[in-house]
Amino acid sequence: MKFIKFPIVPILGGFSIGILIQYYVPITLVYIFIGLVINVICFGIGYFINVKKKLNSLFFESFVVLLCLNLGVLSSYFNVQMNLKTHISTFISEKNIVQGVVTEKLKSTTYYDKFILKAEHINEQNCIGKILLYVPKKQKTEIEVGNKIKVFETPKLLQNALNPNQFDYAKYLKNQNVFHEIKIKKTNTIYVSKDTNFYYYIHFIKSKLLKSYDVKCFKKDNYNLLMALVFGEKTEVSKEISNSYTQAGIIHILAISGLHIALIYGIILWLTKPLLRFKKGKLYIFLFSLSVLWFYAILAGFSASIVRAAVMFSVVALAKIVNRQANIYNSLAVSALLLLVYNPNYLFDVGFQLSFAAVLSIVVFQPFVRKYSYSKHKVILKIKELLLISIVAQIGVLPLTLYYFGQFPLLFLLANLIAIPLSSLILILGLALIPFNFLFPEIAAYLSMLVNFLIETMNVFTTWIVKFDIFIIKNIAFHEALVLLLYLIIAALVYFIYFPKSKNFKPILVSIIIFQLGYFLLNSNEKNNNEFGVFNSTKNSLFVATKNNESVFYTNDFANSKSSIQTYTRGKFVKNYRIEPIKNVYSFKKKILCIDSLGVYNTKQKPEIVVLIQSPKINLNRLISTIKPKQIIADGSNYKSYIKLWKATCEQEKIPFHATTEKGFYRWK
């Protein structure tokens, strides 16, 4: 059957659809099992009839896809730990003692160090679950991966993004089964002890390798960048470096993925080539390469991109040992399926999506690359191959890049032409340094100086590229629907490349028209959504009035409001906006009174909405009795104690109260 010859892709499709269904329309366990029983029965009947050749194989294939869909739903349900009775949320009470192991260190904030705590006990009850742990830097508590932690604090649910179109860190963590957070406030509420567990040994080995490099031979930023390239240790990479690489379109080289695994796999094959002389040489090479690849994947943080690459190269290595050429589409599908079975939430991981989109794009555009990269001269051939592969990879990730990052670097070709070979050389030398660090430290010092020079060259080049700000298209408004429509255009383009006939150019034109129509409809829909809104902002206050795709932002601190303004304008397809200082009175279908820290207001005004900002010292009972507003709003610039007091007063007076620190952005249309 054709289905059996190419089985993994439809199975992956059904499994992925099942994950999406459970993610967006959660189904209870009872209904999942009922559906599973029905699907298994249908699959058995379909298989029996198909064997007897009494039914078209298409029906059996449909039963297989439906069964995989149901398994995807089931896998997604059990992957969410909050659905399980043993999850930490089941045992939380008023006073809690949480015990667990630190499994990961995250990038620190200005005032806190952040860790992922894997809970094992709460109030002496066995439990499962992950917690985001904040530890104040001023506390100077030394915490390392693998440490046992005992916390006398109550875990709180993570709070979702409070402003429109803002990056939702809570949602990102929830996809990793982190639903709660603990912020340490007092020194006597946390106790740290050492333990020899799996995480400890991995951290111990990684620390030894990291510390083996002679820091004196590197600039601080260069050392941190090398650690990101070689070990995926990005927590110390500066924000400036990260932003530069993002704007230049080469941030992908800092994420350990296929490029790193391919280089390591190539080095392993080269080093183990003498083993082919032995009878079972291929088996030894296979076992050794798999051990090294997966140990490196664990060491580098086991991210979606590196696991994808490790799985794929494992499939390639297995194909070599059984003397079979691995079909690239099946290899991709197998690696994706194994990853999604292990963790269905990988489907929503940006790295996972970008990684597969780039590789798949390179594969499907291979005829185009082969045709136009031919040259008799090896140097020209390699340059042309690199340029064309960069182009087709960028085509594959373009819809996702526009949606997630809202920008497109026009000089990405030039940036990748220099950065990819340079980063590959740095990675090879960085790995080669490891044995020299331990065996020949004097030689390692000279080699480190060379690596430092190469990294410095790459950083200078990236900074130079970013200076051409005019070639970076920023703040691009994009929507989920436009992602799908843009991929429709790419699919039509691929079809034309494989079947280059004039009539096959029509689907490209039709898909472009559909994309333009979709953009026009989305833009028109937002144009009719006029609104006035109050943002949640702790350092300053920010309001917005939007009419016909044009916005007026009211703030006294543009620098701290810039990020919120940009994300809002992207999501609302706002074409033009201007900044004005905050006023005390607004009119947007309703009269709005804003009371700031001075606490001064006109009692003759009869506003329907009162907005409190910058912690004004007012008697709210008197204000309510005098003005009689229909709604009171307090933004994030107010003291928490004031907000709590105002909330109680409004409940007593039976007036709706909206605190942006709790409920987020407030809008009325």
Side-chain angles (χ1 to χ4, degrees), residues 201-215 218 223 226-227 230-231 233 295-296 298-300 430-438:
Y201 287 116
I202 292 296
H203 177 69
F204 177 78
I205 295 169
K206 191 173 182 177
S207 296
K208 284 288 183 184
L209 293 174
L210 292 174
K211 291 174 182 178
S212 70
Y213 291 84
D214 190 353
V215 182
F218 296 93
Y223 174 79
L226 179 63
M227 296 304 102
V230 178
F231 298 106
E233 191 63 41
F295 178 73
Y296 181 72
I298 294 170
L299 207 62
L431 291 169
L433 267 171
I434 295 173
F436 282 100
N437 289 338
F438 291 100

Side-chain angles (χ1 to χ4, degrees), residues 76-361:
S76 183
Y77 177 88
F78 281 114
N79 180 69
V80 180
Q81 292 183 352
M82 273 195 84
N83 291 332
L84 306 178
K85 293 181 179 179
T86 53
H87 190 259
I88 189 171
S89 56
T90 310
F91 308 104
I92 293 176
S93 58
E94 290 184 6
K95 292 184 179 180
N96 300 275
I97 304 173
V98 181
Q99 295 171 277
V101 179
V102 175
T103 60
E104 186 181 353
K105 183 179 181 181
L106 304 178
K107 198 174 184 71
S108 301
T109 64
T110 307
Y111 302 106
Y112 288 93
D113 288 322
K114 295 194 300 183
F115 305 89
I116 296 296
L117 179 68
K118 184 181 178 183
E120 294 179 339
H121 305 281
I122 179 168
N123 303 325
E124 304 302 325
Q125 297 274 353
N126 292 333
C127 67
I128 60 170
K130 297 178 183 178
I131 298 171
L132 177 62
L133 181 65
Y134 288 88
V135 180
K137 288 183 176 180
K138 63 181 181 180
Q139 189 167 312
K140 297 181 180 180
T141 303
E142 290 188 12
I143 298 177
E144 294 182 347
V145 173
N147 284 166
K148 283 273 189 180
I149 300 290
K150 191 173 185 180
V151 187
F152 293 84
E153 296 277 1
T154 298
K156 296 180 180 178
L157 282 170
L158 289 168
Q159 193 172 43
N160 290 100
L162 297 171
N163 289 320
N165 309 308
Q166 187 181 23
F167 171 67
D168 197 336
Y169 188 52
K171 185 179 179 182
Y172 166 77
L173 288 174
K174 287 172 184 176
N175 286 336
Q176 300 180 46
N177 269 318
V178 182
F179 297 94
H180 294 82
E181 66 177 5
I182 292 177
K183 280 192 176 182
I184 304 300
K185 297 175 182 177
K186 298 179 181 179
T187 55
N188 61 348
T189 59
I190 181 170
Y191 294 93
V192 182
S193 59
K194 292 186 178 181
D195 189 33
T196 51
N197 48 47
F198 172 78
Y199 303 103
Y200 165 80
Y201 287 116
I202 292 296
H203 177 69
F204 177 78
I205 295 169
K206 191 173 182 177
S207 296
K208 284 288 183 184
L209 293 174
L210 292 174
K211 291 174 182 178
S212 70
Y213 291 84
D214 190 353
V215 182
K216 296 177 183 177
C217 298
F218 296 93
K219 287 185 177 180
K220 185 180 179 181
D221 282 343
N222 295 351
Y223 174 79
N224 292 334
L225 193 68
L226 179 63
M227 296 304 102
L229 272 168
V230 178
F231 298 106
E233 191 63 41
K234 293 185 287 187
T235 56
E236 299 300 325
V237 175
S238 68
K239 193 174 182 180
E240 292 75 18
I241 293 288
S242 183
N243 288 340
S244 295
Y245 278 68
T246 300
Q247 291 177 20
I250 56 173
I251 190 65
H252 58 88
I253 68 173
L254 298 185
I256 294 185
S257 56
L259 176 65
H260 299 69
I261 296 296
L263 286 170
I264 292 170
Y265 185 61
I267 292 169
I268 293 169
L269 292 181
W270 178 66
L271 290 174
T272 57
K273 201 171 182 180
L275 292 176
L276 290 173
R277 298 174 184 176
F278 297 95
K279 186 178 179 180
K280 295 184 179 180
K282 284 187 177 180
L283 178 62
Y284 298 145
I285 292 172
F286 171 73
L287 294 174
F288 181 74
S289 60
L290 247 64
S291 301
V292 174
L293 287 179
W294 284 102
F295 178 73
Y296 181 72
I298 294 170
L299 207 62
F302 220 62
S303 65
S305 57
I306 190 171
V307 175
R308 188 272 308 163
V311 169
M312 190 170 175
F313 277 95
S314 298
V315 173
V316 172
L318 182 62
K320 280 182 176 291
I321 197 172
V322 296
N323 294 316
R324 290 188 64 180
Q325 188 173 0
N327 181 288
I328 189 64
Y329 292 102
N330 270 340
S331 298
L332 271 174
V334 165
S335 58
L337 185 61
L338 289 173
L339 281 171
L340 294 179
V341 169
Y342 168 73
N343 183 359
N345 281 340
Y346 274 153
L347 191 61
F348 310 102
D349 184 271
V350 179
F352 178 91
Q353 295 171 9
L354 291 173
S355 179
F356 272 95
V359 175
L360 186 60
S361 183

Side-chain angles (χ1 to χ4, degrees), residues 403-666:
Y403 175 66
Y404 286 118
F405 307 113
Q407 64 179 26
F408 182 71
L410 295 175
L411 294 177
F412 74 91
L413 272 179
L414 177 60
N416 280 278
L417 183 63
I418 302 299
I420 290 178
L422 204 53
S423 64
S424 300
L425 180 58
I426 292 168
L427 176 61
I428 292 169
L429 292 174
L431 291 169
L433 267 171
I434 295 173
F436 282 100
N437 289 338
F438 291 100
L439 301 175
F440 309 104
E442 292 181 357
I443 298 175
Y446 289 105
L447 196 57
S448 296
M449 292 170 66
L450 173 61
V451 174
N452 182 69
F453 171 75
L454 294 173
I455 296 173
E456 187 69 22
T457 303
M458 190 165 67
N459 287 342
V460 170
F461 171 74
T462 306
T463 305
W464 176 74
I465 284 286
V466 173
K467 283 182 180 178
F468 297 95
D469 193 59
I470 192 172
F471 292 106
I472 303 172
I473 306 173
K474 297 180 179 179
N475 213 32
I476 301 171
F478 222 67
H479 191 273
E480 294 95 330
L482 296 179
V483 173
L484 298 176
L485 293 177
L486 189 51
Y487 272 121
L488 182 64
I489 296 175
I490 295 171
L493 179 63
V494 171
Y495 182 75
F496 178 75
I497 289 173
Y498 278 85
F499 306 100
K501 295 179 181 180
S502 57
K503 66 176 184 179
N504 292 336
F505 194 73
K506 292 179 182 177
I508 298 177
L509 297 176
V510 172
S511 58
I512 290 172
I513 292 170
I514 294 172
F515 177 85
Q516 291 176 328
L517 183 62
Y519 188 89
F520 173 77
L521 290 173
L522 287 167
N523 195 40
S524 298
N525 182 56
E526 289 297 340
K527 192 173 183 180
N528 297 324
N529 287 337
N530 299 332
E531 64 181 25
F532 190 98
V534 179
F535 287 80
N536 178 67
S537 184
T538 54
K539 294 182 180 180
N540 58 293
S541 295
L542 177 64
F543 308 149
V544 63
T546 302
K547 289 184 180 180
N548 301 323
N549 285 128
E550 294 188 358
S551 295
V552 180
F553 291 94
Y554 299 95
T555 181
N556 295 328
D557 187 356
F558 174 72
N560 284 318
S561 303
K562 190 176 180 180
S563 176
S564 297
I565 291 171
Q566 287 180 343
T567 53
Y568 179 88
T569 52
R570 275 183 59 202
K572 290 283 290 182
F573 288 80
V574 170
K575 295 178 180 178
N576 300 304
Y577 70 87
R578 67 179 189 272
I579 310 296
E580 292 187 6
I582 289 178
K583 301 187 296 185
N584 292 112
V585 180
Y586 302 88
S587 179
F588 192 92
K589 296 183 181 179
K590 297 179 181 179
K591 289 182 180 180
I592 307 154
L593 174 65
C594 175
I595 304 176
D596 58 19
S597 58
L598 296 176
V600 178
Y601 58 93
N602 191 341
T603 56
K604 293 180 181 179
Q605 295 171 344
K606 299 295 180 183
E608 296 176 77
I609 298 174
V610 173
V611 182
L612 305 173
I613 66 171
Q614 306 297 328
S615 306
K617 295 179 180 179
I618 58 170
N619 187 317
L620 192 58
N621 293 94
R622 186 185 303 161
L623 182 145
I624 292 171
S625 62
T626 305
I627 297 178
K628 295 183 172 56
K630 294 181 180 179
Q631 172 83 53
I632 292 178
I633 303 165
D635 75 354
S637 65
N638 297 290
Y639 296 133
K640 290 182 180 179
S641 57
Y642 282 29
I643 293 173
K644 188 177 180 181
L645 183 63
W646 293 335
K647 184 179 180 180
T649 302
C650 287
E651 286 176 355
Q652 184 181 351
E653 298 290 339
K654 297 181 180 179
I655 291 179
F657 179 77
H658 183 102
T660 61
T661 52
E662 296 176 2
K663 301 177 181 179
F665 182 79
Y666 183 87

